């Protein structure tokens, strides 16, 4: 394997993640991705996505409070704290409970976790671009999550097109989706003129 190519990919993933968050939540893996993928069977590129991306799922934080007080998590249970290790999902009952709670937190949310649902699909689909192991089954699972998370077909297609923009290193938000939540979830990837920036 070309170590420089892997390092470049890792830096790209970290750069994208920084557009969503100013810093990593902690130095652990993006455990939510293990709801779809078997980490131990992932290739090195897919593992870099696990290791360099975030998802922050909380009990619902009203948008007004978030905007007024900033990202203060005291008093809000983090899904990430409850399910903080991939090995927990070796137990199918725990994995099912985690998936149900993940979906509930995202669907019941009117804003913050809904953004994370879009980013969850984004990172999941991004893994499929670099790891073809069991791809049909994983894509089917991602599509199931999309439906359960109530992501529209247009926004799902827009997430795919966003990944294409990243690989082409060009694109415009207007070419993707006009859905408010899509734009909010991926806002950091576009500049003030809605042009793709990375």
């Amino acid at each position: 394997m070309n170590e420089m190519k892997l390092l470049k990919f890792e830096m790209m993933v970290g750069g994208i993640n920084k557009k969503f968050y100013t810093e990593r939540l902690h130095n652990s893996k993006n455990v939510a991705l293990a709801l779809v993928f078997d980490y131990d069977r992932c290739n090195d590129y897919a593992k870099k996505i696990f290791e360099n991306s975030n998802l922050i799922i909380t009990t619902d934080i009203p948008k007004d409070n978030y905007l007024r007080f900033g990202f203060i998590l005291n008093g809000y249970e983090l899904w990430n704290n409850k399910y903080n290790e991939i090995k927990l999902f070796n137990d199918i009952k725990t994995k099912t409970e985690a998936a149900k709670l993940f979906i509930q937190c995202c669907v019941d949310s009117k804003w913050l976790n809904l953004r994370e649902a879009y980013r969850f699909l984004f990172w999941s689909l991004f893994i499929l671009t670099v790891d073809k192991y069991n791809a049909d089954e994983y894509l089917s699972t991602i599509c199931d999550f999309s439906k359960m998370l109530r992501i529209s077909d247009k926004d799902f297609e827009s997430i795919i097109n966003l990944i294409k923009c990243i690989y082409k290193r060009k694109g415009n938000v207007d070419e993707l989706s006009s859905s408010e939540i899509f734009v909010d979830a991926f806002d950091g990837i576009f500049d003030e003129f809605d042009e793709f920036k990375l």
Side-chain angles (χ1 to χ4, degrees):
M1 176 192 326
N2 184 333
E3 294 298 321
M4 289 305 293
K5 191 173 176 184
L6 183 62
L7 178 61
K8 183 178 176 184
F9 182 77
E10 179 180 7
M11 292 174 64
M12 179 179 72
V13 170
I16 293 167
N17 194 67
K18 283 182 181 173
K19 300 294 183 182
F20 302 149
Y21 313 97
T22 55
E23 59 186 62
R24 297 250 310 126
L25 181 62
H26 39 69
N27 283 329
S28 66
K29 296 174 179 69
N30 184 341
V31 175
L33 295 174
L35 294 172
V36 176
F37 300 95
D38 181 344
Y39 178 80
D40 293 330
R41 293 189 175 181
C42 286
N43 69 22
D44 289 339
Y45 288 90
K47 287 179 179 178
K48 291 299 179 189
I49 294 172
F50 269 89
E51 295 162 6
N52 293 283
S53 65
N54 276 1
L55 285 176
I56 303 171
I57 304 297
T58 68
T59 53
D60 199 25
I61 299 172
K63 186 173 184 178
D64 292 343
N65 288 354
Y66 177 88
L67 296 174
R68 191 174 322 134
F69 303 116
F71 207 154
I72 300 170
L73 296 176
N74 294 337
Y76 295 101
E77 179 186 355
L78 285 173
W79 180 93
N80 307 62
N81 289 344
K82 186 169 185 175
Y83 303 104
N84 58 2
E85 294 182 68
I86 290 172
K87 68 181 179 182
L88 293 172
F89 296 160
N90 292 339
D91 175 53
I92 193 69
K93 182 179 178 193
T94 302
K95 186 174 185 175
T96 303
E97 288 171 1
K100 285 180 183 177
L101 182 59
F102 180 85
I103 292 163
Q104 179 187 349
C105 287
C106 292
V107 170
D108 289 351
S109 174
K110 300 295 183 259
W111 179 65
L112 192 61
N113 291 336
L114 197 50
R115 291 186 328 177
E116 297 302 283
Y118 277 69
R119 293 172 184 167
F120 169 73
L121 293 176
F122 169 82
W123 289 122
S124 296
L125 290 166
F126 212 91
I127 285 176
L128 287 184
T129 69
V130 295
D131 193 339
K132 304 302 182 198
Y133 171 78
N134 218 9
D136 290 342
E137 182 180 325
Y138 288 150
L139 180 58
S140 176
T141 302
I142 293 167
C143 290
D144 289 343
F145 266 103
S146 180
K147 295 298 181 197
M148 290 184 287
L149 292 167
R150 300 181 187 158
I151 308 293
S152 72
D153 290 345
K154 179 167 177 35
D155 278 352
F156 187 80
E157 185 178 330
S158 293
I159 293 169
I160 293 168
N161 290 331
L162 174 60
I163 293 168
K164 290 177 183 176
C165 283
I166 289 170
Y167 280 115
K168 288 191 284 185
R169 309 221 32 98
K170 65 179 182 177
N172 184 296
V173 73
D174 296 330
E175 298 167 3
L176 300 173
S177 173
S178 58
S179 150
E180 183 179 336
I181 191 64
F182 176 88
V183 172
D184 193 39
F186 302 110
D187 183 44
I189 294 180
F190 298 93
D191 65 17
E192 65 272 17
F193 305 108
D194 293 333
E195 291 294 326
F196 177 72
K197 63 170 184 181
L198 263 186

